[in-house]
Amino acid sequence: MADPMERLGSEDAIGMESCMKEDLCMEIDPPFRENVATAEDWRKALNNVVPAVVVLRTTACRAFDTEAAGASYATGFVVDKRRGIILTNRHVVKPGPVVAEAMFVNREEIPVYPVYRDPVHDFGFFRYDPSAVQFLSYEEISLAPEAACVGLEIRVVGNDSGEKVSILAGTLARLDRDAPHYKKDGYNDFNTFYMQVPLLDLAASGTKGGSSGSPVIDWKGRAVALNAGSKSSSASAFFLPLERVVRALQFLQKGRDSSTSNWVAVNIPRGTLQVTFLHKGFDETRRLGLHSETEQMVRHASPPGETGMLVVDSVVPGGPAHKHLEPGDVLVRMNGEVTTQFLKMETLLDGSVDRTIEMQIERGGTALTVNLRVQDLHSITPDYFLEVSGAVIQPLSYQQARNFRFHCGLVYVTEPGYMLFRAGVPRHAIIKKFAGEEISRLEELVSVMSKLSKGARVPLEYISYMDRHRRKSVLVTVDRHEWYAPPQIYTRDDSTGLWTAKPALPPESVFLSARINHHGEGLLNQAVVSNTCVTNMMEDRPQDNNHELADGLTVMETSQENVSEETQAHDEPDVGTKKRRIEEDSSTDGIVIADCSLHESTEEKLENVRTTLNAVLRDNHGAAANASISERVIEPTLVMFEVHVPPSCMLDGVHSQHFFGTGVIVYHSQFMGLVAVDKNTVAISVSDVMLSFAAFPIEIPGEVIFLHPVHNYALVAYDPSALGPIGSSVVRAAELLPEPTLRRGDSVYLVGLSRSLQATSRKSIVTNPCAALNIGSADCPRYRATNMEVIELDTDFGSTFSGVLTDEHGRVQAIWGSFSTQLKFGCTTSEDHQFVRGIPIYAISQVLDQIISGAKGPPLLINGIKRPMPLVRILEVELYPTLLSKARSFGLSNDWVQALVKKDPIRRQVLRVKGCLAGSKAENLLEQGDMVLAINKEPITCFRDIENACQALDMCDDNDGKLNMTIFRQGCEIELLVGTDVRDGNGTTRVINWCGSIVQDPHPAVRALGFLPEEGHGVYVARWCHGSPVHRYGLYALQWIVEVNGKLTPNLDAFVEVTKELGHGEFVRVRTVHLNGKPRVLSLKQDLHYWPTWELRFDPETATWRRRTIKALDCCALHENDV
């Protein structure tokens, strides 16, 4: 069985699962060589070795091939001091973009650049400038692969998580162990032996971070092997032999000597047949059919002590050996020479690139001779990739082709990013068809992409190694907004050690134009749009995607630990446990309207459409014959939401990338439609919203136009013309009934939509029409409903069902909305939960009336028409109700108790102050525990009373925005003039990405904690990106950046002015303040090559999110979409 304890051994931030199968070994090891070294010999050797060993701090800037983006520690050692060459592991050098520094034992830190990573074996080289090391005397460590033998006493010189030098002792026990198998879908070494050291302390060192790339030295101070992996279950560490390392180093040294100035890319010949061999003992080869005469010949021709032969384990499809070699074939000769060792085989292959070799094998007792052409191994090791919408797409490498048994060079999804993840394309997918065209090479995908416009929806077919025999079809939506930079091609440059970016698409490409395809037509169906034939396109979502991207695409995080923001308790009694994520095995129907007759009159076409629609929906109407009147009335007004949040813009503490829920149409005209929905479905304005209508089978995009700053609802606009004539005629708005308000015991109908867009309803009784919410703050602050009274029912459909509450005539009295909370278990464990309650419709109707009649606020472009949007005046204070019986115990007078009871004999409560929002006008005026008795001498008993008082201020032209409040504080009744704040419904409209940190203005949930730094509060870190400088240096989320290089940054504008003056590669001193008030100072190195500074801002003139580059290197600035 697979052993989960075997792993790369190991970088600090990398944990590798294992599927290693241990074989029974009865082989005879080479002769034991007696150790004669003394303690003094070891002391001298280590004194020479330790100064040449360095701590490598590496940052994989992008996911690529077998490696994910991230930051880690490892070890390397100098093997050529004059030329400046450091040896380490391949998984440290990385196959993709990497930024690294080497730190010597005296804490001198210098930049290093990758010059070579072997396509197969676990070694690679960094280069550095020897003159940069100014204060340390050190010598290179020589490589002596011939010195390795069984019984040799060795020392492993590494580091402990990048901090201290660690020296551990051991004894080589085996020189011919099979290469360890680390991961079924990641990097694995093969076609080589490994050395094994079975010693508990040494094996334990392999499980610690930072030991990858450590030199394994003998008592003479020579490196005899390279530390690579470990297996804690068998107390063993695994070392890579150095024969192929020495060969590669010699090529690098010759290449460097041939260049007089800068490094040049060096070609190290590597040949392959795309075949994996295993070394099997003679006992097993006999069972595979090897003739005894062949065995005798092989034993005679091989070195003494040979115990087996090479046997084919796997053959990559489409490779040189495909259909020529098969698993179980026993290799006898290559080019006439008996070959039983990996080293001899690889030496022959590396010297025969692009030439034909002769192989003699035995297959089941039959001798065969095959002639195979040796392929250049570097030609199937990709050195470029496409980055689009956060996705990394590359040609399938030999490593992964071997793992997945696919042809090399296919279009492989390393990281799905946003656009592909939104469609349900998982990691490791192979794209086979896009927009109706077969795709076999990355260049073909880029060509098709260049023809698509923003907002286009096109089909994509892919296969995965988990289900390789069936294609899966999904619908990809091209980003409508500029969430990401335009598509770029990154290409590796071994002379500089960098990956250079260039535009993937020509400037005249439709993909780069500003025109947005609002109706979502794709490349294939743009020419056939009309209204008479309905075609269904099934969108098949992958079964295995749920666990792949559960942490926000593994590219965005909110804290140092790789956890979501899920650690706060909530005392709401009736909560659900189901996550707000669509299960990946669900399917979604997309509808394409096709024109079947271009010559019919408009009247004839409309009549045909009605006939077709009636036929399609007849069964549904029949099934709904027994439905209540309210259900039949309200069904045409219901809309199913599917909301995606780009990982590059996960602002305001939003806790997921994917939401769904039910909304209700509250306005529908020829030019604008508005849908109301809860803010646990549409959490932030930086999102892509898709609307599916219960009345008509179509899915169209929506745009968030209003997020109420207090109440749990959002308004989303759609274009009625996108529904077509018949769709626009059957879709309608619900009738709202804000008055009279619901009372205890009233009968209501709970109506909503199932996932299949079928209306579902039940009759319920109102048990509490004015239940006050009390939702605790999450560890990562996000929107939580405060100062709200909600409606509770005796029965509902569970915690994931949303919809509306209506009377018997189908008039909407409340939104049955979803609320987000967080439950805490113990001290450190928490989980996101949700519950549903009724939101009175009066709060929505007030804002809706202002939008329709014309508000006094700033204009917003909605469906091509500028409309003034309302502003909301609020008292930025969090309140909670207290029973009058409790208030009397705090000293409230009998007169006030009687006045409050007279005002509201049902609630019998008084509102108390829980806290003021930091930065609000009420801050420093109201205190925690204050009782709000009256405003303008009118008693206050509920949240709505305060809202009405704030609205009354807007009706007075001469008001100063202050409320005359009567407060009861510590036994005294006092009068205060308390200021109110005016907020819009836009939410956060600006975000800046600096060094991989996502910064924004502090949102209300942060301000509700009651704390803002004195130095300035306008630069709040909401997220951070894997593989970025802030990941490398530890500038994580949930803190403010208050100072950069000694300059205060009180707001985003000041922050931009300071950071745009910083240069590439410059170390920056940053002072931060955490949410808990703890200050901190750290330094980080700016990287403008891979992480340019950019901002994303909402433009109300065009109703789009626009991306602007603030600071980048020249090679990057050309690829950003400057505005």
Side-chain angles (χ1 to χ4, degrees):
M1 294 181 62
D3 189 337
M5 306 305 293
E6 186 169 283
R7 67 193 189 99
L8 291 176
S10 177
E11 299 169 271
D12 188 39
I14 297 179
M16 293 288 183
E17 70 172 73
S18 167
C19 53
M20 175 62 197
K21 184 176 181 180
E22 285 287 354
D23 294 326
L24 178 65
C25 180
M26 298 180 62
E27 299 175 1
I28 302 173
D29 287 322
F32 177 85
R33 184 179 300 177
E34 184 177 359
N35 289 300
V36 294
T38 65
E40 180 63 21
D41 293 333
W42 280 112
R43 188 188 65 79
K44 292 180 179 179
L46 291 173
N47 285 340
N48 293 329
V49 166
V50 168
V53 177
V54 298
V55 176
L56 293 171
R57 299 176 177 177
T58 63
T59 305
C61 304
R62 300 291 190 276
F64 184 75
D65 198 18
T66 58
E67 307 298 326
S72 56
Y73 291 93
T75 303
F77 58 99
V78 177
V79 292
D80 192 318
K81 177 182 177 181
R82 181 173 67 85
R83 301 175 180 87
I85 301 176
I86 293 173
L87 171 64
T88 186
N89 291 129
R90 175 195 185 273
H91 67 267
V92 176
V93 177
K94 312 292 184 187
V98 64
V99 174
E101 296 88 27
M103 185 175 67
F104 286 82
V105 68
N106 67 338
R107 311 298 285 188
E108 280 192 81
E109 187 177 72
I110 59 173
V112 295
Y113 304 93
V115 290
Y116 180 74
R117 76 284 299 146
D118 195 81
V120 172
H121 301 314
D122 197 8
F123 73 90
F125 296 95
F126 284 110
R127 66 172 175 85
Y128 70 97
D129 182 3
S131 63
V133 183
Q134 303 177 12
F135 306 104
L136 178 68
S137 176
Y138 67 98
E139 297 297 331
E140 64 190 44
I141 299 176
S142 60
L143 304 182
E146 70 283 352
C149 63
V150 170
L152 178 66
E153 187 178 354
I154 52 91
R155 298 290 186 272
V156 179
V157 184
N159 71 83
D160 184 8
S161 299
E163 294 298 326
K164 298 179 180 179
V165 174
S166 175
I167 302 173
L168 297 132
T171 304
L172 293 182
R174 290 185 60 185
L175 303 182
D176 54 359
R177 188 218 191 265
D178 288 339
H181 190 91
Y182 301 116
K183 199 174 183 182
K184 65 180 179 180
D185 57 3
Y187 170 73
N188 295 292
D189 204 343
F190 56 96
N191 287 352
T192 183
F193 286 126
Y194 266 66
M195 304 177 191
Q196 183 170 336
V197 179
L199 197 62
L200 290 176
D201 59 345
L202 186 56
S205 74
T207 65
K208 294 182 180 179
S211 63
S212 287
S214 300
V216 180
I217 64 168
D218 64 2
W219 66 273
K220 296 181 179 180
R222 303 173 299 178
V224 299
L226 181 66
N227 186 31
S230 66
K231 185 176 182 182
S232 57
S233 63
S234 61
S236 299
F238 308 132
F239 304 145
L240 177 72
L242 296 180
E243 286 85 0
R244 309 309 291 166
V245 176
V246 170
R247 173 180 179 270
L249 177 60
Q250 291 171 349
F251 274 97
L252 291 176
Q253 291 169 332
K254 292 178 182 178
R256 183 68 183 95
D257 292 342
S258 65
S259 174
T260 57
S261 56
N262 298 326
W263 273 85
V264 295
V266 177
N267 179 39
I268 300 177
R270 294 286 274 116
T272 183
L273 300 174
Q274 296 191 32
V275 178
T276 301
F277 289 90
L278 292 178
H279 190 270
K280 300 291 186 180
F282 284 119
D283 56 331
E284 188 164 351
T285 59
R286 283 193 294 271
R287 291 194 293 271
L288 291 173
L290 183 70
H291 288 292
S292 59
E293 295 82 2
T294 305
E295 178 182 341
Q296 183 179 2
M297 182 271 298
V298 169
R299 287 180 179 272
H300 180 74
S302 300
E306 180 58 75
T307 59
M309 301 174 68
L310 298 179
V311 178
V312 175
D313 180 62
S314 64
V315 180
V316 176
H322 186 222
K323 296 184 178 179
H324 297 285
L325 298 180
E326 298 177 0
D329 289 349
V330 181
L331 177 61
V332 180
R333 291 187 177 91
M334 293 183 68
N335 281 352
E337 296 184 19
V338 173
T339 305
T340 61
Q341 295 288 310
F342 291 115
L343 181 59
K344 186 175 182 180
M345 178 189 69
E346 286 213 332
T347 301
L348 181 59
L349 292 177
D350 291 346
S352 305
V353 177
D354 293 329
R355 297 204 298 265
T356 300
I357 63 169
E358 180 186 84
M359 299 186 67
Q360 297 178 18
I361 62 173
E362 283 201 11
R363 179 181 300 163
T366 303
L368 298 174
T369 300
V370 295
N371 293 306
L372 303 176
R373 187 170 183 83
V374 179
Q375 187 176 15
D376 184 358
L377 183 54
H378 298 297
S379 69
I380 53 175
T381 303
D383 59 357
Y384 68 99
F385 64 86
L386 168 69
E387 186 175 51
V388 54
S389 188
V392 174
I393 307 173
Q394 63 172 83
L396 184 65
S397 68
Y398 178 33
Q399 277 283 342
Q400 295 292 50
R402 173 180 171 271
N403 288 334
F404 303 149
R405 302 184 308 282
F406 287 130
H407 289 241
C408 291
L410 296 177
V411 181
Y412 171 68
V413 178
T414 306
E415 183 69 48
Y418 175 59
M419 186 171 71
L420 295 183
F421 168 73
R422 180 182 172 189
V425 179
R427 287 192 184 104
H428 311 309
I430 304 293
I431 298 176
K432 302 297 291 184
K433 198 172 186 179
F434 187 50
E437 297 190 24
E438 293 290 335
I439 302 296
S440 60
R441 297 184 303 112
L442 188 58
E443 291 75 14
E444 296 171 350
L445 178 69
V446 173
S447 176
V448 174
M449 191 178 298
S450 66
K451 305 172 187 176
L452 302 177
S453 60
K454 293 180 179 179
R457 307 191 77 194
V458 294
L460 180 146
E461 295 181 8
Y462 72 90
I463 56 176
S464 68
Y465 74 96
M466 298 292 290
D467 190 8
R468 59 189 302 109
H469 303 296
R470 292 184 300 176
R471 288 191 179 189
K472 297 182 181 180
S473 179
V474 297
L475 201 60
V476 174
T477 303
V478 178
D479 293 346
R480 301 173 68 244
H481 299 276
E482 298 174 0
W483 309 132
Y484 293 88
Q488 301 180 101
I489 294 289
Y490 280 83
T491 305
R492 190 181 74 216
D493 183 356
D494 284 330
S495 62
T496 63
L498 300 174
W499 291 62
T500 56
K502 66 178 182 179
L505 307 178
E508 65 275 8
S509 170
V510 179
F511 194 98
L512 303 178
S513 69
R515 185 180 72 85
I516 297 179
N517 188 340
H518 291 284
H519 295 177
E521 294 95 346
L523 179 69
L524 301 181
N525 57 315
Q526 286 177 351
V528 288
V529 178
S530 86
N531 309 299
T532 55
C533 294
V534 180
T535 304
N536 291 325
M537 179 183 297
M538 298 301 295
E539 183 178 348
D540 188 11
R541 293 191 179 271
Q543 299 277 347
D544 58 344
N545 194 30
N546 190 41
H547 67 281
E548 293 279 2
L549 296 173
D551 56 348
L553 292 239
T554 69
V555 297
M556 309 290 297
E557 293 294 343
T558 58
S559 62
Q560 181 169 358
E561 297 80 8
N562 293 335
V563 295
S564 300
E565 48 288 46
E566 305 177 344
T567 43
Q568 179 63 33
H570 168 57
D571 50 9
E572 186 69 35
D574 183 17
V575 295
T577 58
K578 185 176 179 180
K579 301 286 185 180
R580 294 189 60 79
R581 292 187 180 129
I582 291 182
E583 295 298 329
E584 306 304 335
D585 59 355
S586 65
S587 63
T588 303
D589 293 337
I591 305 300
V592 180
I593 309 299
D595 192 357
C596 293
S597 175
L598 299 177
H599 305 288
E600 293 178 306
S601 66
T602 302
E603 293 78 6
E604 290 173 335
K605 287 194 285 185
L606 287 177
E607 182 61 32
N608 289 338
V609 170
R610 293 188 181 96
T611 302
T612 302
L613 183 64
N614 288 336
V616 172
L617 302 179
R618 187 177 297 116
D619 291 340
N620 291 341
H621 287 305
N626 295 326
S628 63
I629 294 176
S630 60
E631 178 181 327
R632 287 186 298 222
V633 170
I634 208 67
E635 182 178 7
T637 72
L638 297 180
V639 177
M640 178 64 74
F641 278 73
E642 185 175 5
V643 182
H644 288 85
V645 179
S648 63
C649 312
M650 294 186 71
L651 309 178
D652 297 354
V654 63
H655 59 288
S656 179
Q657 283 185 248
H658 199 184
F659 299 90
F660 65 94
T662 302
V664 60
I665 301 172
V666 294
Y667 182 78
H668 181 78
S669 68
Q670 180 181 359
F671 302 107
M672 180 177 69
L674 296 178
V675 188
V677 68
D678 61 76
K679 287 174 68 173
N680 200 28
T681 300
V682 177
I684 58 176
S685 57
V686 189
S687 54
D688 285 306
V689 180
M690 297 303 297
L691 308 175
S692 298
F693 293 79
F696 188 68
I698 192 171
E699 186 179 43
I700 62 174
E703 293 294 340
V704 182
I705 65 166
F706 188 83
L707 292 163
H708 198 281
V710 176
H711 290 294
N712 182 27
Y713 77 87
L715 293 178
V716 175
Y718 63 88
D719 184 359
S721 65
L723 299 172
I726 188 62
S728 185
S729 66
V730 298
V731 170
R732 65 177 182 84
E735 181 182 354
L736 307 184
L737 188 64
E739 299 292 344
T741 57
L742 289 171
R743 297 174 297 177
R744 186 190 308 272
D746 285 350
S747 295
V748 294
Y749 289 86
L750 171 56
V751 188
L753 294 177
S754 67
R755 294 299 312 285
S756 57
L757 290 181
Q758 300 297 314
T760 305
S761 67
R762 76 184 309 161
K763 188 176 182 179
S764 299
I765 303 298
V766 175
T767 58
N768 189 350
C770 52
L773 289 176
N774 181 22
I775 301 177
S777 178
D779 274 4
C780 178
R782 61 175 185 251
Y783 170 77
R784 58 188 178 93
T786 59
N787 297 353
M788 279 187 64
E789 290 183 340
V790 295
I791 301 165
E792 295 179 344
L793 303 179
D794 59 344
T795 55
D796 56 31
F797 287 107
S799 62
T800 61
F801 183 87
S802 56
V804 294
L805 300 182
T806 74
D807 64 4
E808 65 274 12
H809 302 295
R811 295 175 296 185
V812 176
Q813 296 174 289
I815 297 283
W816 191 246
S818 176
F819 293 78
S820 175
T821 183
Q822 206 174 69
L823 292 186
K824 190 171 183 180
F825 308 97
C827 297
T828 58
T829 305
S830 63
E831 187 174 334
D832 283 330
H833 285 254
Q834 66 184 34
F835 61 95
V836 282
R837 295 291 187 272
I839 306 169
I841 202 65
Y842 77 83
I844 299 175
S845 61
Q846 291 173 351
V847 171
L848 178 63
D849 291 342
Q850 295 182 59
I851 295 176
I852 296 173
S853 60
K856 299 180 181 179
L860 175 65
L861 188 69
I862 304 177
N863 298 335
I865 301 175
K866 286 187 177 181
R867 300 178 183 271
M869 299 301 293
L871 299 173
V872 181
R873 183 178 296 276
I874 58 176
L875 179 67
E876 288 199 322
V877 177
E878 187 174 350
L879 304 166
Y880 67 98
T882 296
L883 294 176
L884 289 176
S885 58
K886 296 286 187 182
R888 190 189 296 270
S889 301
F890 281 100
L892 186 63
S893 68
N894 186 61
D895 292 340
W896 271 112
V897 170
Q898 291 182 1
L900 294 173
V901 170
K902 182 178 178 180
K903 171 69 183 296
D904 193 340
I906 296 177
R907 290 181 175 85
R908 295 172 177 264
Q909 66 185 25
V910 64
L911 297 181
R912 302 191 70 184
V913 174
K914 187 175 183 178
C916 297
L917 272 68
S920 67
K921 294 181 180 179
E923 189 181 22
N924 301 323
L925 293 175
L926 297 178
E927 297 179 3
Q928 191 273 334
D930 285 351
M931 295 184 188
V932 180
L933 302 180
I935 295 179
N936 297 332
K937 306 303 182 180
E938 288 291 327
I940 298 296
T941 61
C942 63
F943 303 124
R944 188 173 182 181
D945 291 343
I946 295 182
E947 293 177 15
N948 292 336
C950 291
Q951 292 174 9
L953 290 177
D954 289 331
M955 298 183 180
C956 301
D957 296 332
D958 58 348
N959 78 86
D960 56 359
K962 294 183 179 181
L963 298 173
N964 183 12
M965 302 184 69
T966 304
I967 302 297
F968 182 75
R969 177 185 298 169
Q970 297 179 356
C972 300
E973 182 181 324
I974 60 176
E975 299 287 331
L976 291 176
L977 284 177
V978 181
T980 56
D981 293 271
V982 177
R983 303 299 179 193
D984 58 32
N986 296 330
T988 300
T989 58
R990 186 186 187 190
V991 57
I992 295 173
N993 186 303
W994 176 68
C995 291
S997 63
I998 307 297
V999 299
Q1000 63 170 100
D1001 284 318
H1003 51 94
V1006 173
R1007 296 170 51 233
L1009 299 178
F1011 169 74
L1012 289 175
E1014 296 178 356
E1015 300 88 343
H1017 55 265
V1019 185
Y1020 174 73
V1021 182
R1023 295 270 172 169
W1024 55 272
C1025 304
H1026 284 276
S1028 64
V1030 298
H1031 183 194
R1032 159 69 179 80
Y1033 293 97
L1035 177 57
Y1036 298 113
L1038 310 184
Q1039 53 190 326
W1040 287 270
I1041 299 176
V1042 297
E1043 190 178 289
V1044 175
N1045 279 353
K1047 298 179 181 179
L1048 294 178
T1049 55
N1051 52 54
L1052 291 179
D1053 290 332
F1055 180 76
V1056 169
E1057 290 301 315
V1058 172
T1059 55
K1060 73 180 183 181
E1061 301 300 324
L1062 304 175
H1064 171 67
E1066 181 178 344
F1067 274 96
V1068 183
R1069 183 179 181 271
V1070 181
R1071 189 157 68 93
T1072 66
V1073 177
H1074 196 269
L1075 279 179
N1076 59 18
K1078 181 180 179 181
R1080 181 189 177 204
V1081 175
L1082 58 88
S1083 63
L1084 62 83
K1085 187 177 182 181
Q1086 182 166 253
D1087 178 10
L1088 295 175
H1089 184 85
Y1090 297 114
W1091 297 96
T1093 304
W1094 53 264
E1095 88 169 342
L1096 188 71
R1097 188 185 291 223
F1098 181 74
D1099 181 8
E1101 296 294 322
T1102 61
T1104 57
W1105 290 85
R1106 307 288 290 174
R1107 182 186 179 99
R1108 181 179 71 91
T1109 299
I1110 296 173
K1111 184 69 178 280
L1113 293 181
D1114 292 340
C1115 59
C1116 292
L1118 297 175
H1119 316 323
E1120 294 283 332
N1121 190 15
D1122 272 340
V1123 180

